[in-house]
């Protein structure tokens, strides 16, 4: 009887003494220099990862001639960043206005993010805390949509939109983005772990309605999970390219991804001057908000970094 | 086992079971969205793929004609072959590299590992469109810094966009985009392996390499197979990167470079929605068949818990 309790306490103490969250590395008996070599390899990969972003930031400050004519990884005069930024507010290419695309993207990401979070929370709660007929089959149906190619849904969506008049409609972009199998999976797991069934039953005994239980007990207990789902949806919508490419033909509805791609076509095919720096600056402004969001809310991303390449 | 239900108050359990219907209500909004924006379009696409639209004469039922056209299209199959090859190279490379990084971080044998984990994950925040744009400029023949670098270290004039190099180039771009994401997931999974197991293995005299490959890898294998699925499904749908590169080097990225490009160019480019729908259905079936096959194989080998 007492021996399991002993070992339990003992190992807990051992863990506390170990302090670090991993086994002390001298125990591995590594050859000298191994840590240095591995750190250098990681450093090389970090350079590989950071170089394109650094290139983007540096070249956003250049004129078109300097983008092509000066070393890519260093600055050049004249410092053209502010001119490039102000060009984002003008329709210099005939392809559309970057600022408008930024506004559209913010709108799509915010509305779809909030909607998807609410739907995922509702459904995750339904699957986690109730056993109703067909629950398992429906959950498997939801999970199987993870494997459905986005190409195979975007084109059919367009075909249906053409019938019901949702082509070039904001809702045609927002509503499908609210369907999130990963969101439901995360919310179900999260509610399973952090909303005790006894608490819900107790509230029921006290006469609380189901809606009230959801709003006043379940939602407050799952805030970290909700933030994770919100962030993942925002990133997925922000980065989505195929769906908006297919359903929007009017450039004033474009999100950033489609806008930038049409700008790049203009920059390459047309002879319109000074488009390349605008393209580069536009890319930088597209990336920065998400990187900032990510650096500040990293733990939420890690918590649910499950969002598959299926949504890319 | 039989004691456990008895310990729960009986009345509560029964009362709970009369309150199960709200579950169906809670999942309804999402299921409705799922039906309207995934199931209905899918069914409609199948219907559409069985029609043919002529400029003169309108739309009429044409049976399997569109499917025959897709299945006989050499261009479509060339695209399928290309993404299969792409997946066969990119997916194991990405996951293998990610596992090695994650295992090193987990063992604590790398300095500044927190910093590295953050940096590696950053491309997750970069849209595929922007990633492809940056890399296009970096690799542009004659001007791109990396093209110059290749020349500088004696590789000569490398055209990263030539028809021979374009696929390896895309592998590098996708590796850049997704390695850190895979590191994060595998690292989280490795962290859940109890430390005592590692300590016991060290007591038994196991070397670090043995611990990582023989002890930890099997324990995170379910996570790795899941990542295999997700990465492969993503790889087979390859679209964004080649479609952006096409703006820079149109001759290397053909009409049906990947099946997704074939679908897009057929439907939106050429305006043949019926044929595009048929191609989309065939692509979905190929991906579905591969997934089911892998799933069955995994199940037979008893790896699916």
């Amino acid at each position: 009887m007492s021996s399991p309790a002993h070992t339990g306490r003992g190992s807990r103490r051992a863990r506390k003494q170990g302090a670090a969250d991993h086994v002390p590395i001298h125990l591995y008996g590594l050859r000298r220099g191994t840590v240095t070599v591995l750190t250098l390899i990681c450093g090389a990969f970090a350079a590989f990862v950071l170089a394109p972003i650094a290139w983007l930031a540096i070249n956003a400050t250049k004129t078109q001639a300097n983008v092509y004519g000066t070393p890519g990884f260093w600055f050049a005069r004249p410092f053209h960043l502010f001119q490039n930024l102000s060009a984002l507010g003008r329709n210099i290419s005939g392809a559309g206005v970057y600022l408008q695309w930024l506004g559209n993207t913010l709108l799509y990401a915010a509305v779809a993010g909030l909607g998807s979070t609410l739907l995922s929370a509702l459904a995750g709660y339904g699957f986690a805390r109730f056993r109703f007929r067909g629950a398992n089959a429906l959950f498997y149906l939801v999970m199987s949509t993870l494997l459905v190619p986005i190409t195979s849904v975007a084109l059919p969506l367009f075909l249906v939109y053409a019938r019901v008049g949702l082509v070039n409609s904001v809702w045609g972009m927002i509503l499908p983005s609210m369907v999130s199998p990963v969101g439901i999976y995360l919310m179900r797991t999260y509610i399973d772990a952090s909303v005790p069934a006894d608490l819900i039953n107790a509230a029921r005994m006290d006469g609380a309605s189901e809606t009230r239980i959801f709003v006043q007990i379940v939602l407050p207990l799952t805030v970290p999970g909700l933030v994770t789902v919100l962030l993942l949806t925002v990133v997925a919508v922000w980065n989505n390219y195929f769906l908006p490419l297919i359903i929007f033909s009017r450039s004033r509805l474009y999100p950033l991804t489609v806008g930038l791609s049409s700008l790049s076509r203009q920059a390459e095919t047309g002879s319109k001057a000074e488009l390349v720096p605008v393209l580069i600056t536009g890319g930088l402004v597209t990336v920065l908000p998400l990187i900032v969001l990510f650096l500040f809310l990293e733990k939420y991303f890690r918590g649910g970094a499950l969002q598959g390449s299926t949504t890319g | 086992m039989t004691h456990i239900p008895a310990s729960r108050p009986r009345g509560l359990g029964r009362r709970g079971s009369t309150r199960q219907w709200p579950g169906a209500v809670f999942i309804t909004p999402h299921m409705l969205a799922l039906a309207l924006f995934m199931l209905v379009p899918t069914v409609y696409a199948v219907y559409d793929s069985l029609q043919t639209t002529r400029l003169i004469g309108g739309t009429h039922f044409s049976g399997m004609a569109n499917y025959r056209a897709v299945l006989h299209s050499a261009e479509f199959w060339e695209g399928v072959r290309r993404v299969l090859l792409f997946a066969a190279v990119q997916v194991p490379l990405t996951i293998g590299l990610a596992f090695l990084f994650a295992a090193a971080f987990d063992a604590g044998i790398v300095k500044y590992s927190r910093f590295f984990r953050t940096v590696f994950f950053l491309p997750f925040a970069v849209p595929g469109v922007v990633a492809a744009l940056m890399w296009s400029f970096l690799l542009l023949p004659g001007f791109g810094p990396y093209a110059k670098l290749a020349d500088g270290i004696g590789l000569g004039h490398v055209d990263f966009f030539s028809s021979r190099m374009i696929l390896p180039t895309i592998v590098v771009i996708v590796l850049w985009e997704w390695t850190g994401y895979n590191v994060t997931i595998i690292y989280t999974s490795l962290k859940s392996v109890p430390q005592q197991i590692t300590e016991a293995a060290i007591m038994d005299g196991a070397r670090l390499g043995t611990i990582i490959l023989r002890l930890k890898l099997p324990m995170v294998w379910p996570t790795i197979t899941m990542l295999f699925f997700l990465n492969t499904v993503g790889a087979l749908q390859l679209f964004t990167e080649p479609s952006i590169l096409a703006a820079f080097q149109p001759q290397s990225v053909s009409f049906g470079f990947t099946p997704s490009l074939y679908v897009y160019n057929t439907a939106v480019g050429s305006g043949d929605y019926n044929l595009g729908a048929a191609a989309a259905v065939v692509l979905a079936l190929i991906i579905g068949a591969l997934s089911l096959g892998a799933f069955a194989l995994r199940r037979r080998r008893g790896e699916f818990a």
Side-chain angles (χ1 to χ4, degrees):
Chain A
M1 266 287 204
S2 64
S3 77
H6 257 304
T7 48
R9 211 176 299 147
S11 67
R12 205 176 304 143
R13 197 185 305 135
R15 226 173 294 148
K16 211 171 265 172
Q17 280 169 352
D21 62 339
H22 49 74
V23 177
I25 66 169
H26 62 84
L27 292 180
Y28 290 121
L30 294 172
R31 233 176 275 143
R32 249 204 280 156
T34 305
V35 171
T36 313
V37 169
L38 288 172
T39 306
L40 285 176
I41 293 174
C42 288
F45 196 80
F48 168 74
V49 167
L50 288 176
I53 301 171
W55 181 89
L56 201 65
I58 290 169
N59 287 268
T61 69
K62 291 183 183 175
T63 59
Q64 178 144 325
N66 277 340
V67 168
Y68 287 105
T70 60
F73 284 105
W74 200 242
F75 297 92
R77 285 166 183 281
F79 188 79
H80 216 247
L81 176 65
F82 298 110
Q83 289 89 328
N84 291 342
L85 282 172
S86 80
L88 297 180
R90 283 176 281 132
N91 187 356
I92 55 163
S93 62
V97 184
Y98 179 91
L99 271 187
Q100 172 138 47
W101 301 332
L102 182 63
N104 294 340
T105 305
L106 284 170
L107 175 77
Y108 304 154
V111 179
L114 290 173
S116 142
T117 308
L118 180 65
L119 292 193
S120 299
L122 284 167
Y125 176 53
F127 281 124
R129 284 286 168 257
F130 298 90
R131 321 230 145 272
F132 50 94
R133 197 179 292 234
N136 271 335
L138 286 175
F139 188 71
Y140 280 121
L141 175 71
V142 171
M143 286 302 110
S144 68
T145 58
L146 260 182
L147 294 178
V148 176
I150 183 82
T151 333
S152 304
V153 177
L155 181 69
L157 264 177
F158 172 81
L159 299 173
V160 171
Y161 287 177
R163 281 276 156 128
V164 298
L166 270 173
V167 173
N168 284 321
S169 141
V170 170
W171 291 108
M173 173 72 200
I174 291 174
L175 290 174
S177 306
M178 291 186 183
V179 180
S180 168
V182 174
I184 290 186
Y185 176 80
L186 286 176
M187 286 316 294
R188 182 192 181 157
T189 319
Y190 202 91
I191 289 169
D192 257 334
S194 59
V195 182
D198 290 344
L199 189 64
I200 294 168
N201 284 328
R204 263 182 210 143
M205 302 273 260
D206 289 344
S209 72
E210 294 296 332
T211 319
R212 205 170 148 202
I213 292 174
F214 178 73
V215 174
Q216 297 198 335
I217 296 177
V218 178
L219 285 187
L221 284 175
T222 52
V223 168
L226 295 172
V227 175
T228 300
V229 175
L230 177 69
L231 288 176
L232 290 178
T233 316
V234 166
V235 172
V237 175
W238 198 279
N239 294 351
N240 197 347
Y241 176 57
F242 197 71
L243 180 66
L245 179 70
I246 284 202
I247 63 171
F248 293 139
S249 58
R250 287 193 202 131
S251 67
R252 57 176 187 80
L253 290 172
Y254 285 171
L256 288 168
T257 48
V258 181
L260 284 175
S261 114
S262 76
L263 207 57
S264 80
R265 256 156 247 271
Q266 299 263 343
E268 282 311 302
T269 55
S271 55
K272 294 218 176 70
E274 296 298 308
L275 261 193
V276 167
V278 177
L279 184 62
I280 292 170
T281 312
L284 183 67
V285 176
T286 304
V287 169
L288 279 185
L290 287 193
I291 288 186
V292 170
L293 198 68
F294 167 69
L295 287 178
F296 280 99
L297 300 169
E298 197 183 343
K299 65 170 179 167
Y300 294 107
F301 279 98
R302 284 196 192 294
L306 234 165
Q307 185 86 318
S309 31
T310 45
T311 51
Chain B
M1 288 285 265
T2 47
H3 298 294
I4 295 165
S7 68
R8 202 180 288 158
R10 274 203 149 180
L12 239 175
R14 204 173 293 148
R15 185 182 287 267
S17 69
T18 61
R19 292 273 201 137
Q20 296 309 321
W21 60 265
V25 178
F26 279 117
I27 69 161
T28 300
H30 180 270
M31 296 318 282
L32 212 61
L34 182 82
L36 282 176
F37 294 100
M38 283 192 105
L39 303 183
V40 169
T42 307
V43 171
Y44 187 74
V46 173
Y47 166 80
D48 225 47
S49 67
L50 300 172
Q51 318 273 325
T52 296
T53 307
R54 292 252 160 70
L55 219 53
I56 304 160
T59 305
H60 65 93
F61 181 79
S62 61
M64 303 302 283
N66 288 320
Y67 287 96
R68 273 196 296 276
V70 171
L71 295 178
H72 283 123
S73 158
E75 181 129 52
F76 179 80
W77 288 111
E78 201 190 308
V80 171
R81 239 193 35 227
R82 191 173 284 116
V83 287
L84 286 176
L85 176 68
F86 173 77
V89 175
Q90 182 257 320
V91 176
L93 204 60
T94 306
I95 295 181
L97 201 60
F99 174 76
L100 291 181
F101 280 131
F105 295 153
D106 173 62
I109 52 173
V110 172
K111 282 183 197 157
Y112 324 112
S113 75
R114 243 198 83 73
F115 166 77
F116 285 133
R117 280 190 287 131
T118 303
V119 168
F120 288 9
F121 194 54
L122 276 184
F124 184 71
V126 178
V129 171
V130 178
L133 276 175
M134 296 188 301
W135 279 98
S136 300
F137 280 111
L138 288 171
L139 298 172
L140 212 59
F143 139 78
Y146 287 3
K148 281 183 188 160
L149 185 73
D151 208 358
I153 60 172
L155 290 175
H157 183 79
V158 185
D159 182 355
F160 291 102
F161 297 133
S162 67
S163 49
R164 278 189 57 202
M165 284 299 290
I166 188 97
L167 209 56
T169 296
I170 297 175
V171 169
V172 171
I173 299 175
V174 175
L175 199 73
W176 181 86
E177 293 177 275
W178 290 106
T179 304
Y181 165 85
N182 286 283
V183 170
T184 302
I185 293 181
I186 298 172
Y187 176 80
T188 311
S189 184
L190 281 169
K191 272 276 159 269
S192 66
V193 175
Q195 256 186 54
Q196 286 89 333
I197 296 182
T198 313
E199 286 161 0
I202 292 176
M203 300 290 185
D204 288 347
R207 293 168 52 96
L208 179 61
T210 315
I211 292 174
I212 288 175
L213 292 177
R214 290 287 191 68
L215 187 76
K216 297 212 168 169
L217 183 58
M219 296 194 82
V220 298
W221 196 247
T223 304
I224 296 208
T225 41
M226 179 202 75
L227 287 174
F228 235 91
F229 265 114
L230 292 177
N231 281 284
T232 306
V233 171
L236 297 178
Q237 297 176 62
L238 189 65
F239 178 82
T240 305
E241 292 78 9
S243 96
I244 296 296
L245 294 184
F248 288 80
Q249 219 69 11
Q251 67 273 21
S252 300
V253 180
S254 56
F255 181 90
F257 187 77
T258 71
S260 293
L261 271 168
Y262 182 91
V263 169
Y264 176 77
N265 286 328
T266 306
V268 181
S270 319
D272 192 341
Y273 292 108
N274 306 114
L275 189 61
V281 171
V282 173
L283 174 62
L285 288 177
I286 291 174
I287 292 179
L290 284 176
S291 303
L292 277 180
F295 189 78
L297 198 71
R298 201 158 57 134
R299 191 153 227 188
R300 214 181 55 196
R301 285 162 53 187
E303 278 166 16
F304 187 71

